[in-house]
């Protein structure tokens, strides 16, 4: 055979092999697809079953999971530089706080849990005596060893440490944290105005004769099973999945119940990286990172987890699924029909008094969403808005609101309601202010007589109003007579009642608490005391992950005739008068006839100054999407040219 023929045959063979390889490569790639998942250790067992079922439905896919503490799992993507297709955390808030916006821009909440104290009925000391009421007494006993996971790495760990302080608040035993945590580790705690801050150093120096601390909670399971530990703080699901006996902790301390959310958040924990975790009900979150190698497959995995099959797996394994799952951020369109959208709102007294709950229920039903509220004074609410941590604020600090809008953080500022402030004080009125109508002169008299006065001192709308009055009176309040509580309206009013001091409260709060009050309204009627509320949506141009559309709809609902009528009726049945007056006339205007009615000096809603105008984007987010798309296109062209 000639060299020419050999060469031709060789070329033909190479061409055939190349063509075969070209057409075979997509099939091979499909067969070799992998999906990488970083997840909380407490998800190991249910996700193992999800993996089996997902691979059965996708026979060409290999699911590769890495079980870690939630913080460590997220850091695989954010710090270590690994490319994960799915991240699942035992604390959904870690995804926004650690991954937005560079590594993720949405999160789905898909399951709940609670903390229990796991033990071995045959090997744990005093196992036959321990109960939900005496568990901390059992842990105090000599020879008993208990454990929790590393608070710096694992949400189960920092939640376990919080439980000790919550137990103090619940039981009234103020030595639980000292005896079981402070005396046996380098973990510290401080208290300020009823809020507790725990700090966990890198080296927690556990007294190993009493306490064991491991990187993640699931590592403690085998130690309990083998008798190396007497008791370990675990999620209920982990105890169920490993057939461990466990003590149910009371609802006020087990971090499971939305009903006790306000109690849980009295305890905070600062991890070694300086980040603060606030006690809250346990909710799991899942997302697909932006740097995923296979984002489409990662999204399919998420859909499986929150679908019927995934929900059944979690329910069967003692980890209640959230049905439907709840989504926030820039949720992929594929998840919109299978998740309930969330709108987050920050406000103070309107939530504390129940108004927001009353308004939210019909709104949630109409829009198929969930309204989630953070109780915060106006200053704190506007700060949350600036940080993009809420979608909407309902506040009563006009000057600060206007600056919030002017700085580009707020849109659609809308006047929605008003009430008024009053000065409540002891019946014997030591400052002699009863019947005065000039609040600045009232404050001067309180200061001149050194009469006990309480201030919220928390940068809330109430505090801002109070400080403006002091300024108009030419008084700088200080001295033993002036007390700052750093507490909400109702709590401060209760403190003033207990200690028999003066306090500027809104009338609404006084009305709800007056049956238990030994304070009278002594001063009212100054126009300065009128208290106006506005609702403001957070600007998506500043924070792309906010739910601007739902925030805008909520503002429209509250300011509509229907919303205003609901608002104007709120409180009538329980207190004989409305707690707030509407911002605009309705077909049946509300008239307050109670002795504590709003003063006639309150201007009618129709004469109120128009809300500060805010530019409303015609298509929110379109400009951002267009700009990003254009940037990606330019980057792609440059990359091509560089390679060429």
């Amino acid at each position: 055979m000639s060299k020419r023929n050999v060469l031709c045959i060789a070329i033909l063979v190479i061409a055939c092999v190349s063509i075969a390889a070209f057409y075979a490569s997509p099939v091979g790639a499909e067969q070799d697809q992998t999906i990488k998942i970083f997840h909380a250790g407490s998800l190991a067992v249910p996700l193992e079953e999800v993996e089996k079922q997902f691979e059965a439905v996708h026979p060409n896919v290999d699911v590769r999971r890495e079980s870690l503490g939630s913080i460590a799992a997220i850091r695989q993507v954010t710090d270590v530089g690994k490319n994960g297709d799915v991240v699942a955390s035992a604390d959904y808030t870690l995804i926004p706080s650690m991954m937005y916006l560079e590594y993720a821009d949405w999160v789905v909440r898909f399951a709940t849990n609670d903390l229990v104290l796991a033990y071995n009925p045959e090997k744990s000391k005093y196992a036959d005596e321990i109960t939900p009421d005496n568990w901390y007494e059992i842990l105090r006993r000599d020879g008993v060893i208990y454990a929790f996971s590393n608070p710096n790495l694992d949400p189960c760990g920092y939640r376990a440490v919080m439980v000790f302080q919550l137990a103090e608040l619940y039981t009234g035993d103020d030595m639980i944290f000292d005896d079981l945590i402070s005396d046996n580790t380098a973990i510290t705690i401080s208290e300020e105005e009823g809020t507790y801050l725990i700090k966990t150093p890198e080296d927690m120096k556990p007294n190993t004769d009493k306490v064991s601390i491991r990187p993640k909670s699931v590592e403690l399971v085998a130690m309990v099973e083998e008798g190396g530990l007497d008791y370990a703080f675990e999620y209920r699901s982990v105890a169920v999945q490993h057939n461990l006996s466990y003590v149910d902790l009371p609802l006020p301390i087990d971090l499971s119940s939305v009903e006790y959310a306000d109690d849980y958040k009295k305890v905070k924990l600062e991890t070694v990286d300086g980040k603060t975790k606030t006690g809250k009900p346990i909710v799991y979150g899942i997302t697909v990172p932006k740097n995923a190698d296979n984002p489409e497959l990662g999204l399919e995995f998420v859909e499986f987890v929150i679908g019927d099959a995934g929900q059944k797996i979690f329910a069967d394994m003692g980890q209640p699924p959230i049905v439907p799952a709840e989504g926030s951020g820039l949720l992929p369109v594929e998840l919109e029909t299978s998740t309930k959208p969330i709108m987050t709102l920050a406000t103070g007294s309107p939530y504390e008094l129940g108004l927001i709950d009353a308004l939210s229920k019909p709104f949630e039903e109409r829009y198929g969403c969930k309204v989630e509220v953070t109780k915060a004074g106006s200053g704190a609410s506007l700060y949350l808005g600036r940080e993009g941590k809420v979608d909407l604020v309902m506040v009563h600090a006009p000057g600060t609101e206007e600056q919030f809008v002017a700085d580009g953080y707020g849109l659609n500022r809308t006047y929605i309601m008003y009430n008024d402030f009053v000065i409540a004080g002891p019946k014997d009125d030591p400052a002699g202010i009863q019947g005065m109508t000039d609040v600045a002169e009232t404050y001067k008299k309180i200061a001149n007589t050194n009469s006990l006065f309480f201030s919220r001192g928390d940068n809330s709308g109430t505090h801002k109003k109070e400080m403006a009055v002091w300024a108009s009176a030419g008084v700088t309040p200080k001295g033993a007579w002036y007390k700052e509580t750093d507490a909400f309206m109702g709590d401060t009013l209760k403190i003033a009642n207990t200690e028999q001091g003066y306090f500027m409260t809104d009338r609404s709060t006084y009305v709800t608490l007056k049956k238990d009050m030994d304070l009278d309204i002594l001063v009212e009627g100054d126009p300065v005391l009128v208290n106006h509320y506005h609702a403001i949506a957070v600007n998506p141009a500043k924070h792309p992950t906010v739910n601007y559309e739902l925030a805008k709809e909520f503002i429209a609902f509250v300011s509509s005739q229907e919303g205003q009528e609901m608002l104007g009726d709120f409180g009538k049945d329980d207190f004989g008068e409305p707690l707030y007056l509407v911002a605009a006339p309705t077909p049946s205007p509300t008239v307050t006839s109670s002795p504590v009615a709003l003063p006639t000096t309150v201007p009618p809603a129709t004469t109120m100054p128009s809300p500060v105008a805010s530019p409303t984007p015609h298509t929110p987010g379109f400009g951002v999407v267009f700009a990003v798309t254009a940037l990606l296109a330019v980057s792609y062209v440059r990359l091509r040219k560089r390679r060429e």
Side-chain angles (χ1 to χ4, degrees):
M1 185 179 294
S2 68
K3 291 183 179 180
R4 180 185 179 88
N5 289 339
V6 171
L7 180 61
C8 288
I9 292 171
I11 292 173
L12 181 60
V13 170
I14 291 171
C16 291
V17 170
S18 299
I19 292 170
F22 176 80
Y23 283 103
S25 59
V27 177
E30 184 179 352
Q31 291 175 340
D32 296 333
Q33 283 188 99
T34 61
I35 177 173
K36 181 67 176 177
I37 300 169
F38 300 114
H39 64 81
S42 57
L43 292 170
V45 175
L47 287 188
E48 181 180 7
E49 182 60 28
V50 170
E51 174 185 346
K52 292 177 183 176
Q53 295 191 24
F54 186 81
E55 289 180 342
V57 177
H58 301 78
N60 299 321
V61 174
D62 177 24
V63 176
R64 299 179 182 176
R65 296 180 298 104
E66 191 167 341
S67 177
L68 303 150
S70 292
I71 295 174
I74 291 172
R75 283 177 176 163
Q76 299 305 300
V77 174
T78 61
D79 296 356
V80 179
K82 294 182 180 179
N83 291 359
D85 299 305
V86 175
V87 170
S89 167
D91 181 350
Y92 80 91
T93 64
L94 293 177
I95 291 174
S97 66
M98 295 179 67
M99 300 185 75
Y100 281 15
L101 284 165
E102 185 175 357
Y103 299 100
D105 53 22
W106 59 269
V107 60
V108 168
R109 310 175 195 181
F110 67 96
T112 63
N113 222 325
D114 63 291
L115 282 181
V116 299
L117 192 58
Y119 66 94
N120 186 323
E122 297 178 355
K123 298 182 179 180
S124 297
K125 294 181 179 67
Y126 311 110
D128 59 339
E129 297 182 36
I130 196 164
T131 71
D133 297 322
N134 71 359
W135 61 270
Y136 53 92
E137 294 287 3
I138 298 296
L139 298 191
R140 279 171 166 152
R141 293 184 183 179
D142 292 340
V144 173
I145 301 175
Y146 56 93
F148 48 86
S149 54
N150 189 328
N152 292 319
L153 301 175
D154 188 11
C156 188
Y158 60 68
R159 286 165 170 158
V161 176
M162 289 177 177
V163 160
F164 289 91
Q165 182 56 44
L166 288 171
E168 281 197 9
L169 299 177
Y170 174 64
T171 64
D173 182 339
D174 61 5
M175 293 301 294
I176 294 175
F177 195 94
D178 289 341
D179 292 345
L180 297 174
I181 299 296
S182 299
D183 291 351
N184 293 293
T185 71
I187 298 172
T188 62
I189 189 169
S190 59
E191 184 265 338
E192 185 174 347
E193 301 295 345
T195 298
Y196 298 82
L197 179 62
I198 301 167
K199 292 187 177 182
T200 52
E202 184 171 3
D203 183 1
M204 283 169 278
K205 302 178 180 178
N207 169 15
T208 54
D209 291 334
K210 191 68 178 174
V211 181
S212 180
I213 302 175
R214 295 302 172 97
K216 53 186 180 179
S217 63
V218 292
E219 294 181 15
L220 305 174
V221 171
M223 299 173 71
V224 172
E225 290 174 333
E226 295 167 4
L229 291 174
D230 295 302
Y231 300 94
F233 285 89
E234 294 285 359
Y235 292 121
R236 176 186 298 273
S237 61
V238 172
V240 170
Q241 292 154 16
H242 292 86
N243 297 314
L244 290 175
S245 296
Y246 57 88
V247 177
D248 275 312
L249 301 175
L251 287 176
I253 72 173
D254 74 354
L255 297 170
S256 71
S257 175
V258 174
E259 179 183 353
Y260 292 100
D262 288 341
D263 293 326
Y264 299 156
K265 68 182 182 182
K266 292 177 182 177
V267 180
K268 300 182 178 183
L269 186 144
E270 183 182 304
T271 46
V272 68
D273 57 5
K275 294 182 178 179
T276 300
K277 314 297 188 296
T278 300
K280 65 177 75 69
I282 299 168
V283 178
Y284 286 69
I286 192 167
T287 193
V288 173
K290 289 184 176 181
N291 64 357
D293 290 327
N294 200 335
E296 295 83 5
L297 201 55
L299 193 57
E300 284 191 50
F301 189 87
V302 172
E303 290 181 273
F304 190 91
V305 167
I306 67 175
D308 292 342
Q311 290 169 1
K312 185 177 187 307
I313 290 170
F314 278 87
D316 289 346
M317 296 191 175
Q319 202 158 0
I322 297 173
V323 183
E326 299 165 352
S328 59
L330 299 179
L331 207 64
V333 66
E334 294 89 342
L335 298 180
E336 288 181 355
T337 58
S338 55
T339 58
K340 177 185 289 188
I342 296 169
M343 189 204 75
T344 53
L345 184 157
T347 192
S349 296
Y351 173 65
E352 193 171 42
L353 301 182
L355 174 63
I356 301 302
D357 284 343
L359 293 171
S360 296
K361 290 176 183 176
F363 182 79
E364 289 174 335
E365 292 175 4
R366 183 170 304 174
Y367 289 92
C369 67
K370 176 180 178 181
V371 176
E372 186 171 272
V373 185
T374 297
K375 187 171 76 170
S378 292
S381 293
L382 290 165
Y383 172 78
L384 291 171
R386 283 182 178 269
E387 293 292 304
K389 294 181 178 179
V390 293
D391 306 317
L392 175 73
V393 296
M394 189 177 290
V395 288
H396 59 128
T400 312
E401 296 167 26
E402 290 164 6
Q403 190 63 52
F404 180 75
V405 173
D407 291 343
Y409 289 97
L411 298 175
N412 306 88
R413 180 173 180 251
T414 303
Y415 180 49
I416 54 172
M417 63 186 184
Y418 69 95
N419 61 4
D420 70 327
F421 290 110
V422 297
I423 311 302
K427 296 181 185 298
D428 61 356
D429 187 19
I433 63 171
Q434 186 166 16
M436 296 181 68
T437 56
D438 185 324
V439 69
E441 291 300 317
T442 298
Y443 272 30
K444 284 182 184 178
K445 203 165 184 181
I446 290 173
N448 289 338
T449 57
N450 289 333
S451 297
L452 187 60
F453 184 95
F454 288 91
S455 167
R456 287 177 60 174
D458 60 354
N459 199 35
S460 61
T462 302
H463 183 230
K464 290 176 184 293
K465 173 70 78 173
E466 178 215 323
M467 298 313 295
V469 174
W470 285 120
S472 68
V475 175
T476 300
K478 60 182 178 180
W481 61 273
Y482 184 76
K483 306 283 188 181
E484 291 187 342
T485 66
D486 196 27
F488 281 99
M489 191 86 76
D491 288 339
T492 301
L493 182 57
K494 291 175 183 177
I495 293 170
N497 183 64
T498 300
E499 300 193 27
Q500 286 293 286
Y502 295 98
F503 173 53
M504 186 183 74
T505 177
D506 70 348
R507 188 184 299 271
S508 306
T509 302
Y510 180 85
V511 167
T512 63
L513 297 176
K514 67 179 180 181
K515 64 182 178 62
D516 299 318
M517 288 287 110
D518 195 26
L519 300 178
D520 287 340
I521 292 178
L522 302 177
V523 175
E524 58 186 320
D526 189 329
V528 169
L529 295 176
V530 180
N531 185 32
H532 309 298
Y533 278 88
H534 292 81
I536 313 172
V538 176
N539 190 348
K542 288 284 189 181
H543 297 289
T545 57
V546 299
N547 196 329
Y548 171 71
E549 291 301 326
L550 267 182
K552 187 171 64 173
E553 293 292 348
F554 189 82
I555 293 173
F557 171 72
V558 173
S559 58
S560 70
Q561 178 175 314
E562 177 187 1
Q564 290 283 286
E565 287 178 348
M566 291 179 61
L567 190 154
D569 287 338
F570 181 72
K572 280 184 177 180
D573 291 343
D574 293 328
F575 307 107
E577 61 181 279
L579 296 185
Y580 296 93
L581 296 187
V582 300
T586 64
S588 302
T590 300
V591 178
T592 305
S593 56
S594 165
V596 290
L598 291 175
T600 56
T601 50
V602 175
T606 53
T607 65
M608 293 303 300
S610 301
V612 175
S614 303
T616 302
H618 294 294
T619 308
F622 176 77
V624 177
V625 174
F626 180 85
V628 173
T629 304
L631 180 61
L632 290 173
V634 171
S635 300
Y636 176 75
V637 170
R638 288 177 177 172
L639 181 61
R640 285 289 302 270
K641 287 182 178 180
R642 195 176 301 153
R643 287 181 174 176
E644 291 170 358

